[in-house]
Amino acid sequence: MEPFATVGQYEARYGDVDDQDILQEILMEATREIFAARDRAGIDYQEPNETYSDRLMQACRSMAFRAMGQADAELPYGVTQFSEGAGDFSSSLSFRNPYGEVYISKAERHLLGLGAAKAKFVYPGGSNA
């Protein structure tokens, strides 16, 4: 199985990475996560059309970006809160994805058609009358 996004597609969007082997593995993890989510949703695309293939690629590389983080920034990628002090030298960071987990965001679910809510009614008597 090939990942939905290549290292080249990732780097075209997010820039060069230091370790392409790690990126390749994360892209593969993202692909497996997308397959699992599609299976749970009952979606079976053996040969996706070009539009859906582009969506798969976009979701895969953005999932990998979250897991890879961002290099060369003053603050690490994913910091949701930062505090700094002067007296007694205090500093604090809070991270959104501290362990680099690969997951599908709400926006990616929507992009892939996985976010549609389903409702089902069960009538206790076996009848809807």
Side-chain angles (χ1 to χ4, degrees):
M1 170 177 20
E2 291 293 316
F4 291 130
T6 65
V7 170
Q9 290 168 325
Y10 178 94
E11 290 182 333
R13 171 66 172 90
Y14 298 110
D16 294 339
V17 296
D18 293 333
D19 193 336
Q20 291 188 351
D21 291 335
I22 290 174
L23 174 59
Q24 182 67 26
E25 181 57 33
I26 291 173
L27 290 169
M28 202 60 234
E29 285 180 29
T31 298
R32 287 190 292 267
E33 184 64 32
I34 292 170
F35 265 111
R38 290 189 325 176
D39 286 346
R40 286 189 300 271
I43 298 172
D44 183 22
Y45 288 110
Q46 294 298 327
E47 293 293 327
N49 62 30
E50 186 177 340
T51 300
Y52 197 74
S53 291
D54 286 343
R55 291 178 181 186
L56 290 167
M57 180 271 300
Q58 181 181 346
C60 184
R61 72 182 182 187
S62 68
M63 291 167 66
F65 179 71
R66 263 195 311 280
M68 289 286 290
Q70 174 180 337
D72 300 326
E74 288 185 31
L75 293 176
Y77 172 78
V79 170
T80 58
Q81 182 179 353
F82 174 70
S83 301
E84 194 169 48
D88 291 338
F89 308 104
S90 179
S91 181
S92 175
L93 297 172
S94 296
F95 291 89
R96 176 182 10 187
N97 188 9
Y99 300 110
E101 297 294 324
V102 176
Y103 63 91
I104 303 174
S105 72
K106 188 175 186 178
E108 291 153 356
R109 287 185 177 286
H110 182 71
L111 179 71
L112 298 174
L114 300 172
K118 295 179 182 176
K120 188 174 186 178
F121 296 96
V122 177
Y123 296 100
S127 171
N128 59 4

